[in-house]
């Protein structure tokens, strides 16, 4: 899977997408996620759609497998949406707001 990204982060928009029968989708810049996705499912959908953004030519199967692996790894390591502190630099040495 070739990864390409010209952005530091993706905007995430939550809404009602149940009628479209999708948990999430992306236009390459913004991730749209169904508001019913919470907890581990929310993490999975954000990771899945972010992978589509950074690797637009990857197959759906590759994205799905990678998203599940990353989600399970992060979840097992205790990632939860609790702490909003942003005072530690990422690998590029910068604190991204």
């Amino acid at each position: 899977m070739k990864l390409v990204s010209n952005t530091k982060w993706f905007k995430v928009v939550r809404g009602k997408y149940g009628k479209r029968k999708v948990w999430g989708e992306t236009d390459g810049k913004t991730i749209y996620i169904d508001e019913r996705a919470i907890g581990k499912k929310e993490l999975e959908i954000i990771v899945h759609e972010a992978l589509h953004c950074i690797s637009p030519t990857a197959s759906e199967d590759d994205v799905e497998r990678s998203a599940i692996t990353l989600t399970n790894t992060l979840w097992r390591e205790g990632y939860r949406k609790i702490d909003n502190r942003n005072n530690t630099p990422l690998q590029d040495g910068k604190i991204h707001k």
Side-chain angles (χ1 to χ4, degrees):
M1 181 182 317
K2 183 177 179 182
L3 304 178
V4 180
S5 178
N6 296 323
T7 186
K8 295 178 184 175
W9 58 276
F10 301 104
K11 180 178 179 181
V12 177
V13 175
R14 288 163 182 82
K16 296 181 180 183
Y17 299 106
K19 289 182 181 180
R20 298 178 74 166
K21 300 193 188 295
V22 296
W23 282 103
E25 57 190 4
T26 185
D27 60 12
K29 296 178 184 176
T30 302
I31 294 170
Y32 303 92
I33 184 169
D34 192 293
E35 62 189 17
R36 296 170 300 152
I38 57 173
K40 191 174 183 181
K41 187 64 175 180
E42 179 184 26
L43 176 61
E44 177 199 9
I45 300 306
I46 292 171
V47 169
H48 179 105
E49 298 305 335
L51 286 170
H52 276 303
C53 293
I54 63 175
S55 187
T57 60
S59 71
E60 186 65 23
D61 286 342
D62 285 347
V63 168
E64 187 175 298
R65 274 193 309 276
S66 297
I68 290 169
T69 299
L70 289 168
T71 299
N72 285 334
T73 301
L74 291 167
W75 199 259
R76 185 172 183 173
E77 288 301 309
Y79 173 83
R80 302 296 186 273
K81 194 174 172 180
I82 300 170
D83 190 340
N84 288 325
R85 286 180 287 183
N86 183 27
N87 55 2
T88 304
L90 299 180
Q91 293 182 46
D92 63 3
K94 298 176 185 175
I95 296 176
H96 297 272
K97 301 286 181 186

